[in-house]
Amino acid sequence: MGHAIGTNRDNFRGVEDSARAGARSAGRGPVALRIRAHLLGLLSTQSRLHSAFRASATAALVASVLASAACAHPHAEQDQANCGAVGTWIDPMTATTIAPEQLLAGLAQLPVVLLGETHDDEEHHRWQLHTLAALHGHNPDMILGFESFPRRVQPVLDQWVNGELDPIAFFEAAEWRKVWGFDPTLYLPLFHFARQNRVPMIALNVDRDFVARVRREGWAAIPADERLGLSDPAAASPAYLEMLARVYAVEQLHAKHPEPADPHDAEAEGEASADGAEAPAGETDMQTHPDDGAADEVEKPTHEADAHAGGGEKPTREADARVDGADAAASESDVDEAEVDIESILATEDFARFAGAQQTWDRAMAEAIAEARQRQPNSLIVGILGRGHLEYGYGVPHQLADLGVPNAAVLLPIERETTCGGLPADLADAAFVIEPTVSVTTARPKPLLGVMLAQIDDGVQIKGVMEGSIAEAIGLQKGDIVIEAAGFPIAELSELIEIVQRQAPGTWLPLTVRREGEEIDFVAKFPTVFETPE
């Protein structure tokens, strides 16, 4: 599947009831109970406030604080549709509202707290910042880990926290557009929080090239001395594999139809990954973020970034099983309409490599967290990750448990309408109810070229042309290799995306492509008014 540059959702809200049922039987239940038990043990030694919470919480992590819990929060009432109230915390296991003070005080005493996100959702990042600040108020001995950075840029993170770099220098040194690609302003408040409070930041990820290799070759085929020091991932649960199989099926469907009708379908217009390999399907770029959002990725080494130019707002990483990034609801619909045989997918070697890449991604981040925990055993480690790596405890929490860190709490932002009728009991340890993003954030108009791109050895190749796009109008074709844009040579996907993103309404963009050995010049003429992404 190609990635259309635009807005991509990493939530898995479209995962079917069958997968959720499997999650309940093999997923978060035991972990959530352990966390609840651990919290109760901690709270028994805390202040009178914590003791009161312990007495009222019984056996729940953050369950109802007696009958007064609803009154403890001014917005705790639920509407007639039995939906959660915006601004409240909910315990999915008990379907009760949680008093925030007691919840956050208890969570701050755990070894690891993981905050999920859809990578390009502003409201999710606002929630992360506020939750982070609350946790820090209860426990300032904190370490902040980010999925968005590969480990090789750790020195840059250290320089930023120490006040040695300004934002522009920081993003350039960290190669932000190449390694992540989402709008940096979404994450900057979190980075400033770490800097202002001198909270160490750690890079949790590995380079996408490695995960792309796992996707192509399989984990077992990679020599031990070339695995970047990573240990074998813990086996995935059947429910997780089924979820990944559905993501994989969606990627395969999009790979066959490179011009998605809905820009959200292919990781939408902002990905910019560039692994290189073409991938049949995968994050398809696998990050295709299991980010930000359910199903963020796939086989891919094809970061096809829709140069919808809009942007590299969200690069698509190849190995993420898209577990962070595909639009789940649409994905499930696509899979159902196509009558995909999930059991057959589970039996294929290609899917095994796809799932292995996702597990590698999960394992890498879990190991980075576990290593930080070993170095500073008394610190609270807070992880900022795509929700697809966290939901139901499938991804990173599962790998952490295998590494000896079983009590990692998972917190998620949930849109109000999603809470109507209740949440899956083991979706997360606690969920914070937010307004629908569409009612909070106005999508920014973007320049859209209308092509699906892939990083290849020879440069940036067009993998598909969107119907009715500027690219189609000027005659760009699938297979063209873009070698120059606006007079600048193009070698990497991020370079082309950045140039397109800089285009103002009504401007012209000179492009040179190589087609069957011949260099051809084109001029992309952008409209005087950019359309707002849906």
Side-chain angles (χ1 to χ4, degrees):
M1 157 186 134
H3 298 290
I5 295 178
T7 56
N8 200 8
R9 297 270 179 236
D10 354 14
N11 25 9
F12 277 107
R13 25 178 119 125
V15 175
E16 292 201 336
D17 292 341
S18 58
R20 287 174 172 168
R24 296 187 185 103
S25 62
R28 289 208 59 72
V31 175
L33 290 175
R34 284 198 299 272
I35 294 174
R36 287 167 164 71
H38 180 66
L39 261 182
L40 291 178
L42 288 168
L43 292 171
S44 66
T45 63
Q46 299 302 308
S47 66
R48 293 175 58 190
L49 173 62
H50 291 180
S51 296
F53 172 54
R54 176 182 181 278
S56 60
T58 63
L61 166 65
V62 286
S64 58
V65 184
L66 293 178
S68 62
C71 299
H73 194 289
H75 307 295
E77 299 83 1
Q78 295 187 328
D79 62 23
Q80 294 180 352
N82 196 33
C83 302
V86 172
T88 61
W89 288 92
I90 294 175
D91 180 357
M93 181 172 285
T94 62
T96 55
T97 299
I98 308 166
E101 176 65 18
Q102 287 89 331
L103 169 65
L104 294 166
L107 290 172
Q109 305 308 313
L110 292 178
V112 177
V113 175
L114 305 173
L115 307 182
E117 66 181 45
T118 291
H119 301 314
D120 58 358
D121 193 311
E122 291 177 292
E123 188 72 352
H124 287 196
H125 294 295
R126 293 189 189 104
W127 164 78
Q128 288 175 326
L129 177 63
H130 298 161
T131 303
L132 178 64
L135 291 170
H136 186 265
H138 288 288
N139 185 357
D141 184 1
M142 176 184 287
I143 296 173
L144 190 55
F146 289 91
E147 175 190 1
S148 51
F149 297 106
R151 299 179 189 184
R152 65 181 174 79
V153 303
Q154 184 60 53
V156 179
L157 304 192
D158 297 338
Q159 288 180 296
W160 166 259
V161 172
N162 291 332
E164 300 172 18
L165 300 172
D166 62 32
I168 293 177
F170 170 58
F171 286 120
E172 289 181 349
E175 301 177 42
W176 180 265
R177 286 206 177 278
K178 180 177 180 179
V179 303
W180 198 237
F182 289 95
D183 183 348
T185 62
L186 295 171
Y187 291 84
L188 191 56
L190 294 168
F191 301 154
H192 274 303
F193 178 88
R195 179 188 183 118
Q196 185 175 64
N197 293 284
R198 291 300 190 263
V199 173
M201 289 171 53
I202 57 173
L204 302 181
N205 228 323
V206 291
D207 280 299
R208 67 186 56 170
D209 288 348
F210 177 71
V211 184
R213 182 182 178 188
V214 176
R215 174 64 181 90
R216 294 190 299 270
E217 302 175 18
W219 174 258
I222 298 178
D225 61 352
E226 298 178 18
R227 294 178 176 176
L228 306 184
L230 300 180
S231 57
D232 292 337
S237 68
Y240 191 28
L241 291 176
E242 181 176 339
M243 180 181 285
L244 293 180
R246 290 185 173 280
V247 172
Y248 173 88
V250 172
E251 296 292 351
Q252 294 291 341
L253 289 173
H254 286 307
K256 294 177 182 177
H257 305 287
E259 296 87 28
D262 181 340
H264 291 271
D265 286 346
E267 208 105 49
E269 290 186 351
E271 300 175 22
S273 93
D275 281 345
E278 184 162 344
E283 158 171 24
T284 312
D285 219 70
M286 277 193 84
Q287 189 161 309
T288 220
H289 329 260
D291 278 188
D292 339 28
D296 231 283
E297 308 102 42
V298 201
E299 172 182 30
K300 197 142 194 343
T302 211
H303 296 46
E304 314 185 334
D306 181 88
H308 244 113
E313 279 186 2
K314 168 181 202 173
T316 233
R317 298 129 128 280
E318 226 189 28
D320 247 7
R322 194 146 196 145
V323 133
D324 260 33
D327 182 302
S331 299
E332 286 299 317
S333 176
D334 289 343
V335 171
D336 291 341
E337 290 180 7
E339 297 183 353
V340 173
D341 186 345
I342 298 298
E343 292 301 321
S344 295
I345 289 177
L346 291 170
T348 65
E349 292 185 5
D350 190 62
F351 170 72
R353 291 193 297 271
F354 171 83
Q358 180 61 37
Q359 290 174 268
T360 299
W361 205 285
D362 294 334
R363 185 70 173 195
M365 292 191 284
E367 288 196 357
I369 292 171
E371 290 166 5
R373 180 69 182 166
Q374 291 179 342
R375 291 193 302 270
Q376 295 180 230
N378 297 320
S379 297
L380 166 63
I381 301 176
V382 179
I384 304 296
L385 296 80
R387 62 189 305 147
H389 292 290
L390 306 179
E391 292 181 346
Y392 301 99
Y394 288 157
V396 173
H398 177 64
Q399 298 298 331
L400 280 171
D402 184 67
L403 292 166
V405 186
N407 296 321
V410 172
L411 307 182
L412 297 175
I414 299 291
E415 291 186 6
R416 191 190 68 86
E417 64 180 20
T418 304
T419 67
C420 303
L423 296 171
D426 34 27
L427 175 66
D429 292 295
F432 185 79
V433 185
I434 62 173
E435 293 179 340
T437 301
V438 66
S439 69
V440 177
T441 303
T442 300
R444 293 179 289 271
K446 299 177 182 179
L448 306 178
L449 183 58
V451 295
M452 310 298 287
L453 303 174
Q455 182 76 45
I456 61 174
D457 292 341
D458 294 335
V460 178
Q461 186 177 52
I462 295 176
K463 306 302 295 182
V465 177
M466 311 290 281
E467 183 177 353
S469 66
I470 294 174
E472 182 185 52
I474 65 175
L476 293 179
Q477 298 179 10
K478 178 179 179 180
D480 288 347
I481 297 175
V482 182
I483 59 176
E484 188 174 289
F488 294 94
I490 299 298
E492 295 190 6
L493 187 62
S494 59
E495 296 173 339
L496 177 57
I497 296 224
E498 183 171 3
I499 288 174
V500 176
Q501 282 187 308
R502 289 203 302 259
Q503 292 301 124
T507 56
W508 293 11
L509 174 63
L511 298 167
T512 301
V513 306
R514 183 181 298 116
R515 182 185 296 170
E516 298 180 351
E518 179 183 1
E519 293 187 6
I520 307 174
D521 295 325
F522 295 91
V523 176
K525 300 178 181 180
F526 290 89
T528 55
V529 177
F530 292 151
E531 295 182 1
T532 298
E534 296 179 3

